[in-house]
Amino acid sequence: MMENGGYVGQYGGEENYMEQEEEWEREGLLDPAWEKQQKKTFTAWCNSHLRKAGTSIENIEDDFRNGLKLMLLLEVISGETLPKPDRGKMRFHKIANVNKALDFIASKGVKLVSIGAEEIVDGNLKMTLGMIWTIILRFAIQDISVEEMTAKEGLLLWCQRKTAPYKNVNVQNFHLSFKDGLAFCALIHRHRPDLIDYSKLSKDNPLENLNTAFDVAEKYLDIPRMLDPDDLQNTAMPDERAVMTYVSSYYHCFSGAQKAETAANRICKVLKVNQENERLMEEYERLASDLLEWIRRTMPWLNSRQSDSTLAGVQKKLEEYRTYRRKHKPPRVEQKAKLETNFNTLQTKLRLSNRPAYMPTEGKMVSDITNSWKGLEHAEKAFEEWLLAETMRLERLEHLAQKFKHKADTHEDWTKGKEEMLQSQDFRNCKLNELKALKKKHEAFESDLAAHQDRVEQIAAIAQELNTLEYHDCASVNARCQRICDQWDRLGALTQRRRQGLDEAERILEKIDLLHLEFAKRAAPFNNWLDGAREDLVDMFIVHTMEEIQGLIQAHDQFKATLGEADKEFNVIIGLVRDAEAIVKQEQVPGGLVNPYTTLSADLISRKWSEVRALVPQRDQTLANELRKQQNNEMLRRQFAEKANAVGPWIERQMDAVTAIGMGISGSLEEQLHRLKEYEQAVYAYKPSIEELEKIHQAVQESMIFENRYTHYTMETLRVGWEQLLTSINRNINEVENQILTRDSKGITQEQLTEFRSSFNHFDKNRTGRLAPEEFKSCLVSLGYSIGKDKQGDMDFQRILAVVDPNASGYVQFDAFLDFMTRESTDTDTAEQVIDSFRILASDRPYILPDELRRELPPDQAEYCIQRMPPYKGPNAIPGALDYMSFSTALYGESDL
């Protein structure tokens, strides 16, 4: 304990008044002007209080001698009643009264040193000044405390802070720092800028500055002049006790403003939190609206199944879909992840600031966005499957349409002139041998007609398949098929009618040229075989696997194995013609070279046989080309499988590792965050592998490869896995950052956090990152939280659930669990604290005025309050009064505002 100017205590930080005076005098530091300054200042200070009792003093060493005004002064400044004074005028009466005053001072914890009643009664000026300084320290300076400093240091720090923004002011002490008057002017301007124009003051005019400050303080702040400007200027070092006494009056005058400043700071802090939360809410609403609108616009395109029914049109749609997956969707995946991250951060900030949970507008919940996203992914999968199926269908249709045209052209070429021939009556005027020839010719035609039955049925079957597969030009196909079938029916009817005519004449005409007949019998089926072989050799085909092309090659090899027998048959048929020619030439038979039984000739058979033999190597080349194509497809399958079989397990391993980190099994939160960001960098570094796989997949699709037996991974499953991995990393990084934010703001230790995480993981059996209500209850019990098994316990648990699961999702996330376990031990602002702060600004009124808000708060926050505060409707309301109580409770979700 240091002695403090006449008493020993903790308030002034000075030595004993008398001893200090003597020490200064011995060292030559005592300025004779100090006693004069103290006398003026202490007298003015005493009168500033005595006037409340309707009296004053003129001479400080005389007017306190009888003790009466000294006791009155103590009663005024303490608000207490002293013992009744002695009214006698004898010396012992005066001593008794002064002792009563000194005893009262001592009762306040002040130990008087070297000051006795006799010296005061005798008018000792130095002792009287020491006693008054003791009173000033105890009742005017003692309660000044800034950052737990002593009274003198606290008052000095208060002056330094208040004058810090002002040029030419540097408060370091209570003597030289106040000589030029600028410090006094700065204190007044800081709290009442309307009273002094500080910009017009100059350090070169100290007397003008001092007079300005003293006049304004006395006129407008009710602070009497306690210092003389001339004394301050003419003294090398003004008395610091006099200056401290005067400055303390400024402190007490502006203490109300200090409280208002503190209250305004608290309100600004709360409003800043609310404004930031509202900004995050608006950003969430904007991002959610934009993403949902994009999904809404995209869904009709993905759900559309309309096409022009052409292969080129569907392939164009497939390329548009690839562009969509490659360019348009990835930014939306990032937007969705950012949306979820912003939502979690907002909810964490709301919990940490003791605000109610944020509920997005209807249709914009995270669950709504998740459901819309799942619908989008389902539509994507269905759209791609439809495109591939449509491609296969249209490719099949094009193949069938070409096959139909080829067979129809061949059939129509064969039928040319057949109806006219069947309708001819030539047999009625011919000779017997000619009639027999006509009959055999007709029999050969019937055989040929029967052989063509299979071709007509094939044409009809192909037309039926085109109709079933909804070929875009079905109308012309059906019309042509109908013409062929109608003509076929007519040919059948005409054939039957002509045969009946020939049978009628058969009784007359019996001769037949056996040689021509044998040629006709052999040539017709061989010609049909040639036609069929030629059709097979030029037949178009479509295959998708090595097995299919190898099957075609095997069938072709089997066909080539029959060419030897066909060559023998060809030689036999040509031999018949040559025999006939030899007989005609030998026997000179008129018209004998004409075969009446068939329209086929040796030249025709020879030409067709030559065509067949020429088509065989062409067919070999076509099949070899297709074999190479299928081998290339097989290589693409293996390339895709090799890459997919590496990428798929890599994604799964990364997902498992990220999930394990997200469970918080080991390491501090910072370590977990560091590892997660390392995984995030690794994932983005791995993206070229995904892009390379996309290129291979595009080549696979462009080669019309629809299945791959070398891998169970598809591009779709790998895309989904990749997007899930990105989302999981972002979500876990956000969760760990929110946990760090919670930990730091709540002040919990790493050991506590580890204990909470271990308990949570123990009951999170499926590693889903959330607990069901019963699991959550068990977790609370394991941490020592008491929940009764009676009805009251159930009610308590339901109230807890309402806090940790405000959206009633049926699950408790870890961040909500962590917030619950720590929130009751934290020092958070409350509605009551905000109301108290507004009450200070409103001078204890139940309402506040707009001008007061604009004066005490920054402009943007003042307008924020004015726009949102409802009018005050209580008693004694004045125009423009605002209800700050309802506004404050609304900030914390405790009213309907």
Side-chain angles (χ1 to χ4, degrees):
M1 286 280 185
M2 295 184 68
E3 297 178 354
N4 296 274
Y7 75 99
V8 176
Q10 58 179 342
Y11 311 112
E14 289 190 357
E15 300 86 352
N16 172 267
Y17 180 86
M18 300 302 298
E19 292 176 353
Q20 190 182 63
E21 293 280 301
E22 293 172 359
E23 182 180 349
W24 286 348
E25 187 173 7
R26 285 195 305 271
E27 296 179 1
L29 300 177
L30 183 63
D31 191 332
W34 287 1
E35 187 174 275
K36 177 183 176 183
Q37 292 175 9
Q38 287 184 20
K39 182 176 179 180
K40 287 182 179 179
T41 302
F42 291 177
T43 300
W45 183 85
C46 291
N47 285 334
S48 70
H49 293 286
L50 287 173
R51 66 183 178 181
K52 299 175 184 177
T55 186
S56 63
I57 62 173
E58 295 181 3
N59 195 332
I60 196 168
E61 67 267 32
D62 293 332
D63 292 349
F64 285 138
R65 292 177 63 180
N66 62 5
L68 295 177
K69 288 190 177 181
L70 179 61
M71 294 178 68
L72 181 61
L73 173 66
L74 291 172
E75 286 185 343
V76 171
I77 62 178
S78 68
E80 301 180 24
T81 302
L82 272 67
K84 188 174 182 181
D86 292 354
R87 292 297 180 182
K89 296 183 180 180
M90 302 297 290
R91 177 178 172 82
F92 71 88
H93 292 127
K94 298 177 180 179
I95 292 175
N97 288 336
V98 172
N99 274 325
K100 290 178 183 179
L102 297 178
D103 290 343
F104 178 79
I105 296 173
S107 70
K108 297 303 178 183
V110 179
K111 183 179 180 181
L112 297 171
V113 179
S114 302
I115 298 178
E118 290 81 359
E119 288 85 351
I120 305 300
V121 173
D122 290 340
N124 187 318
L125 177 60
K126 183 175 295 187
M127 290 297 180
T128 302
L129 291 176
M131 178 189 66
I132 298 302
W133 175 241
T134 299
I135 294 172
I136 292 172
L137 282 174
R138 173 59 182 85
F139 293 102
I141 301 178
Q142 168 186 331
D143 294 332
I144 298 176
S145 178
V146 179
E147 294 186 356
E148 300 181 357
M149 291 185 173
T150 62
K152 178 180 178 181
E153 294 169 339
L155 183 60
L156 185 63
L157 179 59
W158 178 80
C159 293
Q160 290 171 343
R161 287 184 174 176
K162 294 301 179 182
T163 60
Y166 294 87
K167 64 180 181 178
N168 297 327
V169 177
N170 183 17
V171 177
Q172 298 296 328
N173 49 56
F174 286 110
H175 35 77
L176 297 179
S177 297
F178 287 86
K179 280 194 68 174
D180 59 11
L182 288 178
F184 291 116
C185 292
L187 287 174
I188 296 173
H189 184 270
R190 179 64 183 269
H191 296 92
R192 289 292 302 276
D194 55 309
L195 299 180
I196 290 180
D197 186 353
Y198 188 84
S199 64
K200 294 182 178 179
L201 301 179
S202 172
K203 193 176 182 67
D204 299 330
N205 300 318
L207 284 176
E208 181 182 341
N209 298 339
L210 289 168
N211 280 312
T212 298
F214 296 167
D215 290 343
V216 169
E218 186 171 35
K219 182 176 181 180
Y220 297 102
L221 303 178
D222 198 25
I223 300 175
R225 278 179 174 258
M226 299 183 186
L227 299 173
D228 189 318
D230 293 328
D231 291 342
L232 289 177
Q233 283 299 299
N234 296 330
T235 305
M237 181 182 294
D239 179 58
E240 71 172 1
R241 296 191 186 98
V243 175
M244 279 181 64
T245 301
Y246 186 53
V247 171
S248 69
S249 298
Y250 280 71
Y251 176 86
H252 290 296
C253 175
F254 296 133
S255 60
Q258 182 73 15
K259 293 180 181 178
E261 181 179 343
T262 301
N265 289 337
R266 177 182 292 276
I267 292 171
C268 289
K269 175 185 175 184
V270 172
L271 295 181
K272 183 177 181 181
V273 170
N274 241 55
Q275 289 171 317
E276 174 64 15
N277 291 341
E278 288 181 2
R279 185 190 67 77
L280 289 175
M281 293 176 190
E282 292 172 357
E283 183 178 4
Y284 174 85
E285 293 284 338
R286 178 182 61 78
L287 288 176
S289 299
D290 180 63
L291 183 58
L292 289 172
E293 175 62 20
W294 176 79
I295 293 175
R296 185 190 67 77
R297 295 195 311 268
T298 305
M299 287 297 287
W301 175 65
L302 292 175
N303 290 328
S304 173
R305 297 296 182 266
Q306 295 181 351
S307 71
D308 58 1
S309 297
T310 64
L311 185 60
V314 174
Q315 288 174 340
K316 181 180 178 183
K317 277 184 172 290
L318 185 59
E319 183 59 33
E320 290 174 352
Y321 176 72
R322 290 175 183 146
T323 301
Y324 157 79
R325 288 307 303 257
R326 187 171 58 252
K327 295 183 178 179
H328 300 303
K329 188 182 178 188
R332 297 298 178 172
V333 174
E334 296 177 4
Q335 182 179 1
K336 176 175 177 289
K338 180 181 179 182
L339 192 67
E340 295 173 349
T341 298
N342 288 358
F343 181 81
N344 293 333
T345 300
L346 173 60
Q347 297 292 38
T348 299
K349 288 188 175 182
L350 288 172
R351 285 195 304 273
L352 295 179
S353 59
N354 203 22
R355 302 309 198 269
Y358 167 56
M359 290 292 291
T361 56
E362 185 175 358
K364 296 179 184 176
M365 299 284 291
V366 173
S367 58
D368 297 324
I369 295 172
T370 300
N371 291 335
S372 297
W373 190 263
K374 288 180 179 177
L376 177 73
E377 291 177 335
H378 178 75
E380 288 174 350
K381 185 175 184 298
F383 187 53
E384 185 173 22
E385 290 175 351
W386 173 76
L387 286 173
L388 295 176
E390 190 70 1
T391 300
M392 294 177 65
R393 183 181 73 83
L394 292 175
E395 186 183 49
R396 172 69 176 164
L397 279 176
E398 291 293 330
H399 169 71
L400 287 175
Q402 291 296 326
K403 193 169 185 177
F404 173 83
K405 180 179 181 303
H406 175 71
K407 288 187 176 294
D409 289 344
T410 302
H411 175 76
E412 289 173 347
D413 286 343
W414 177 82
T415 59
K416 286 179 180 178
K418 293 295 189 294
E419 289 189 65
E420 292 78 4
M421 181 269 293
L422 291 174
Q423 291 173 346
S424 174
Q425 300 294 315
D426 55 350
F427 61 87
R428 295 189 181 276
N429 298 316
C430 67
K431 298 177 181 180
L432 178 60
N433 61 330
E434 294 173 343
L435 180 61
K436 285 181 180 265
L438 285 176
K439 185 175 180 182
K440 294 301 180 180
K441 181 180 179 180
H442 188 69
E443 289 176 354
F445 173 77
E446 286 181 325
S447 176
D448 197 9
L449 188 67
H452 277 76
Q453 176 70 32
D454 182 58
R455 179 180 295 145
V456 174
E457 291 176 354
Q458 289 180 7
I459 292 173
I462 294 173
Q464 179 61 39
E465 189 171 359
L466 287 171
N467 277 276
T468 302
L469 295 178
E470 300 179 357
Y471 181 58
H472 68 93
D473 197 17
C474 279
S476 62
V477 170
N478 291 338
R480 190 172 187 183
C481 181
Q482 188 63 45
R483 289 196 302 271
I484 290 173
C485 291
D486 292 343
Q487 185 189 42
W488 185 255
D489 292 340
R490 291 196 302 273
L491 287 175
L494 291 173
T495 299
Q496 182 67 25
R497 193 178 307 132
R498 183 173 177 81
R499 181 172 184 79
Q500 290 173 356
L502 290 172
D503 286 342
E504 290 177 0
E506 189 178 13
R507 295 188 303 270
I508 304 171
L509 304 175
E510 294 177 352
K511 290 183 179 182
I512 186 170
D513 189 341
L514 294 178
L515 194 57
H516 282 296
L517 180 59
E518 182 67 16
F519 172 83
K521 287 182 178 181
R522 282 182 174 269
F526 187 67
N527 179 66
N528 286 329
W529 179 84
L530 287 174
D531 289 341
R534 187 170 55 180
E535 286 185 21
D536 290 339
L537 288 172
V538 300
D539 187 27
M540 290 174 289
F541 57 84
I542 180 171
V543 295
H544 296 98
T545 65
M546 285 289 296
E547 289 77 7
E548 291 176 350
I549 186 60
Q550 288 170 351
L552 290 176
I553 292 173
Q554 183 179 4
H556 183 60
D557 290 340
Q558 291 173 354
F559 167 75
K560 289 192 293 183
T562 65
L563 291 179
E565 290 296 325
D567 188 59
K568 292 179 181 179
E569 181 67 12
F570 170 75
N571 290 328
V572 170
I573 292 172
I574 296 302
L576 288 173
V577 174
R578 289 171 182 169
D579 289 346
E581 289 176 348
I583 293 171
V584 169
K585 184 178 180 180
Q586 183 180 356
E587 300 297 335
Q588 297 294 313
V589 179
L593 294 178
V594 178
N595 191 330
Y597 304 112
T598 180
T599 59
L600 298 175
S601 66
D603 292 339
L604 178 63
I605 296 297
S606 297
R607 180 173 58 79
K608 287 187 177 182
W609 174 243
S610 297
E611 289 178 0
V612 168
R613 287 190 299 179
L615 287 172
V616 169
Q618 295 178 14
R619 185 70 168 183
D620 288 336
Q621 184 62 41
T622 301
L623 292 174
N625 292 339
E626 183 62 31
L627 178 62
R628 285 193 297 273
K629 176 184 175 183
Q630 291 303 321
Q631 289 171 341
N632 180 67
N633 288 354
E634 193 72 1
M635 179 190 69
L636 286 175
R637 289 189 182 95
R638 292 179 183 273
Q639 284 182 348
F640 179 84
E642 179 182 1
K643 193 69 177 176
N645 290 337
V647 171
W650 186 88
I651 291 176
E652 293 164 1
R653 290 194 302 272
Q654 302 306 303
M655 183 66 77
D656 292 340
V658 170
T659 302
I661 295 174
M663 296 302 297
I665 297 174
S666 63
S668 66
L669 289 177
E670 285 75 8
E671 293 171 343
Q672 295 173 26
L673 182 61
H674 178 69
R675 292 204 302 274
L676 284 172
K677 291 189 175 180
E678 287 181 341
Y679 274 104
E680 183 181 35
Q681 293 176 355
V683 168
Y684 281 114
Y686 199 72
K687 189 174 183 181
S689 296
I690 299 296
E691 294 173 347
E692 180 182 354
L693 194 58
E694 284 282 7
K695 292 179 181 178
I696 298 175
H697 176 64
Q698 181 172 344
V700 166
Q701 286 195 334
E702 289 173 350
S703 298
M704 307 303 291
I705 300 172
F706 302 109
E707 56 185 21
N708 193 338
R709 63 179 178 273
Y710 300 114
T711 181
H712 66 278
Y713 292 104
T714 66
M715 195 65 236
E716 179 61 28
T717 60
L718 292 176
R719 287 189 196 120
V720 172
W722 177 258
E723 292 173 0
Q724 288 176 347
L725 177 59
L726 288 175
T727 301
S728 178
I729 290 176
N730 288 330
R731 184 176 63 250
N732 278 285
I733 287 176
N734 178 248
E735 289 178 355
V736 172
E737 288 175 341
N738 285 340
Q739 290 173 26
I740 292 174
L741 181 62
T742 301
R743 181 198 65 191
D744 295 343
S745 64
K746 300 293 186 178
I748 63 174
T749 65
Q750 183 64 43
E751 291 74 15
Q752 289 176 308
L753 189 63
T754 301
E755 180 185 5
F756 295 155
R757 170 56 81 178
S758 298
S759 299
F760 189 90
N761 289 347
H762 176 75
F763 292 98
D764 183 15
K765 305 295 185 184
N766 298 326
R767 296 297 184 262
T768 60
R770 60 187 187 182
L771 299 180
E774 289 304 317
E775 294 172 334
F776 173 58
K777 180 186 287 186
S778 301
C779 185
L780 289 179
V781 173
S782 73
L783 290 169
Y785 202 94
S786 177
I787 300 177
K789 296 183 178 180
D790 52 5
K791 183 176 181 181
Q792 182 61 42
D794 291 338
M795 294 174 62
D796 293 340
F797 183 64
Q798 292 303 318
R799 282 195 294 270
I800 294 174
L801 276 182
V803 173
V804 298
D805 184 19
N807 296 328
S809 64
Y811 293 97
V812 180
Q813 305 290 343
F814 178 73
D815 55 354
F817 163 76
L818 177 62
D819 180 63
F820 172 76
M821 295 304 298
T822 59
R823 68 190 302 173
E824 295 184 3
S825 63
T826 59
D827 182 19
T828 59
D829 57 89
T830 64
E832 290 75 15
Q833 290 176 331
V834 177
I835 291 174
D836 290 341
S837 298
F838 275 119
R839 184 179 289 112
I840 292 173
L841 300 185
S843 302
D844 288 330
R845 297 192 307 271
Y847 58 82
I848 194 167
L849 298 176
D851 290 342
E852 293 173 328
L853 290 171
R854 293 189 177 101
R855 184 175 68 244
E856 302 293 347
L857 299 180
D860 59 330
Q861 295 186 338
E863 296 305 320
Y864 178 85
C865 293
I866 293 170
Q867 293 174 8
R868 287 166 172 76
M869 279 189 185
Y872 177 72
K873 299 180 179 179
N876 302 321
I878 64 175
L882 301 174
D883 185 353
Y884 61 79
M885 294 186 183
S886 297
F887 171 76
S888 300
T889 55
L891 290 178
Y892 295 85
E894 300 175 10
S895 76
D896 295 330
L897 272 183

